[in-house]
Amino acid sequence: MVKLDRINISNEGLTKFFSPIEAQIMTVLWENGECTTPDITERTGIPLSSVAGTLDRLVKAGYAKRTIDKNGQRVRYLYSASESMDRTANSITRKVLDSLVDTFGKVAIDNFHSYEKK
Amino acid sequence: MFSIQDEVGCYIACVADSGLLPWLMASLFMALLLFAFYLKARSSRSRISSFIAAQLCMLASIAMVVSSMQCSRMLTIEIYTAYVFLSTMLILFLPRIYYRILIKRYRARPVAELMEWPQVFVNSLKEQYKTPGMSEVYYYNSAVPRAFASGKTIFLSMGLLEIMDKAELKAILAHEVWHLRHNTRTPILRHLSMITFTRNFSESELENMADIFAADVVSRRAVESARSKMS
């Protein structure tokens, strides 16, 4: 969950920063906007028993938010991403860059400049 | 100076001299028989009653040993007495405050804020079965479907309210009301097994009995479908 010590650069795509289930849920939320719990289980194909705990964690960490929707006798959660994919990408990039500059200082910054010229 | 060998010697000598030895053996044998019956018994009711009877036999055996002691200032007996006293205090007072801690920890809110009927249903069940005191139903924010009862409060997670239909929710509430009606039973069972140093296997028995009650009040089908959704 985007903690610097949990970043795994050898993984593919978003699973560098999120667990596979977290990545799938966040993708569904970014692509579809507001979703109910059954929407999420259906679109990810992951059973509720695995999705439920992960949703709690994503909400607690601030990546997703939920509201309670009262509909007659039934109640349900409506989930959405707290920030757009771009803004989340921005904050992840900033975290990683901060840590690199913290550790390597000028070398890291020189590398970013040469990276930009490529 | 404390020596465990001296203490054990003391126990053997005092119990042998007191004339209680045959009674002690009989009580231990009885406890053994009741434990065997408990492991073989099928119905939850007979399992729980045999478990309690076995525990009481164990308690009687401990009481006989303690009463037959003539030696003064036995450290093991003093430690044991303190242990029984503290655990009794804990068991008696913890349930009275623990549910309040849970309400704060889970930031639980009265379920009536979302819907009226669960609280009305619980009130009517309690009235029907003449259970004294108020029971409140609370919900808390979590997608993980879960229900539990503590003190005089039933806790339901939002995830549970989301996935269960009305009949299933009623079955779950009836199950929890059973726990509240018998909320003295679980701590006492746990306490007895703490004092007699035997393992408490009764948790699943109590769950079964709560399910039987819920099936009587609502329907077996609702209990089974709620169980399958939660597993």
Side-chain angles (χ1 to χ4, degrees):
Chain A
M1 185 98 57
V2 203
K3 280 184 181 159
L4 285 177
D5 58 344
R6 296 255 316 265
I7 289 178
N8 193 340
I9 50 172
S10 56
N11 281 1
E12 281 295 311
L14 275 178
T15 53
K16 283 185 174 74
F17 314 103
F18 292 99
S19 78
I21 297 181
E22 288 165 1
Q24 284 189 64
I25 294 175
M26 285 314 294
T27 308
V28 166
L29 294 181
W30 280 320
E31 283 172 2
N32 299 283
E34 217 165 43
C35 289
T36 62
T37 320
D39 288 342
I40 295 169
T41 50
E42 212 171 280
R43 291 195 169 121
T44 54
I46 307 168
L48 177 76
S49 52
S50 311
V51 164
T54 312
L55 281 169
D56 280 356
R57 275 203 306 281
L58 284 169
V59 169
K60 201 174 166 201
Y63 289 101
K65 55 186 181 183
R66 60 188 169 198
T67 52
I68 295 173
D69 176 46
K70 279 186 268 184
N71 183 3
Q73 288 290 304
R74 304 295 302 254
V75 286
R76 58 180 189 171
Y77 274 135
L78 288 175
Y79 289 92
S80 54
S82 303
E83 289 187 319
S84 67
M85 194 173 178
D86 284 349
R87 283 185 74 105
T88 309
N90 191 38
S91 68
I92 294 175
T93 317
R94 190 157 283 281
K95 255 189 194 174
V96 176
L97 289 184
D98 279 352
S99 133
L100 287 174
V101 173
D102 253 11
T103 316
F104 302 115
K106 196 173 173 305
V107 180
I109 296 169
D110 287 349
N111 262 301
F112 299 140
H113 286 311
S114 62
Y115 195 80
E116 205 175 33
K117 281 177 207 146
K118 268 189 202 171
Chain B
M1 200 55 199
F2 174 73
S3 144
I4 191 74
Q5 276 170 336
D6 290 352
E7 293 246 338
V8 172
C10 240
Y11 279 113
I12 295 171
C14 290
V15 171
D17 286 350
S18 69
L20 282 174
L21 193 61
W23 292 103
L24 180 64
M25 298 306 280
S27 154
L28 284 174
F29 183 65
M30 195 65 200
L32 201 69
L33 279 184
L34 284 162
F35 273 123
F37 180 77
Y38 160 72
L39 290 173
K40 287 272 175 202
R42 296 214 162 203
S43 86
S44 300
R45 197 168 282 277
S46 55
R47 277 173 75 91
I48 292 218
S49 4
S50 57
F51 184 75
I52 294 179
Q55 300 280 9
L56 290 176
C57 284
M58 288 293 289
L59 209 59
S61 313
I62 293 174
M64 276 183 236
V65 171
V66 173
S67 70
S68 62
M69 297 311 291
Q70 301 295 323
C71 314
S72 60
R73 297 191 66 77
M74 298 271 295
L75 189 64
T76 42
I77 289 189
E78 278 170 21
I79 292 173
Y80 180 72
T81 314
Y83 168 73
V84 169
F85 178 76
L86 283 178
S87 60
T88 311
M89 285 291 141
L90 213 65
I91 294 288
L92 284 180
F93 290 108
L94 208 58
R96 284 166 207 265
I97 50 164
Y98 191 54
Y99 74 97
R100 289 188 205 145
I101 297 173
L102 285 176
I103 289 176
K104 273 200 184 145
R105 200 173 104 198
Y106 284 102
R107 296 205 184 103
R109 308 281 318 149
V111 81
E113 288 179 4
L114 296 179
M115 42 181 151
E116 296 283 339
W117 73 262
Q119 186 65 59
V120 176
F121 176 68
V122 166
N123 292 349
S124 71
L125 263 189
K126 293 204 72 172
E127 209 168 291
Q128 195 180 336
Y129 292 91
K130 298 193 172 44
T131 319
M134 274 291 290
S135 289
E136 284 174 297
V137 188
Y138 276 70
Y139 79 96
Y140 65 96
N141 257 319
S142 167
V144 181
R146 231 182 124 203
F148 55 94
S150 170
K152 41 186 179 176
T153 309
I154 295 171
F155 294 86
L156 307 173
S157 73
M158 251 304 290
L160 187 93
L161 296 172
E162 248 190 333
I163 60 164
M164 299 292 171
D165 64 30
K166 198 168 176 180
E168 290 159 345
L169 266 181
K170 277 187 172 178
I172 291 166
L173 287 167
H175 175 109
E176 299 305 331
V177 165
W178 188 92
H179 280 303
L180 292 182
R181 279 177 69 204
H182 298 271
N183 68 351
T184 47
R185 195 175 289 197
T186 324
I188 286 175
L189 280 177
R190 210 174 285 157
H191 189 204
L192 274 175
S193 53
M194 263 168 88
I195 320 182
T196 57
F197 305 110
T198 48
R199 216 177 127 198
N200 182 6
F201 293 101
S202 54
E203 219 68 1
S204 61
E205 304 304 327
L206 294 171
E207 291 303 308
N208 276 344
M209 287 168 83
D211 272 359
I212 292 168
F213 174 74
D216 282 350
V217 173
V218 188
S219 74
R220 173 138 294 279
R221 225 180 58 159
V223 175
E224 277 164 8
S225 69
R227 275 248 170 255
S228 71
K229 277 189 184 175
M230 281 179 89
S231 57

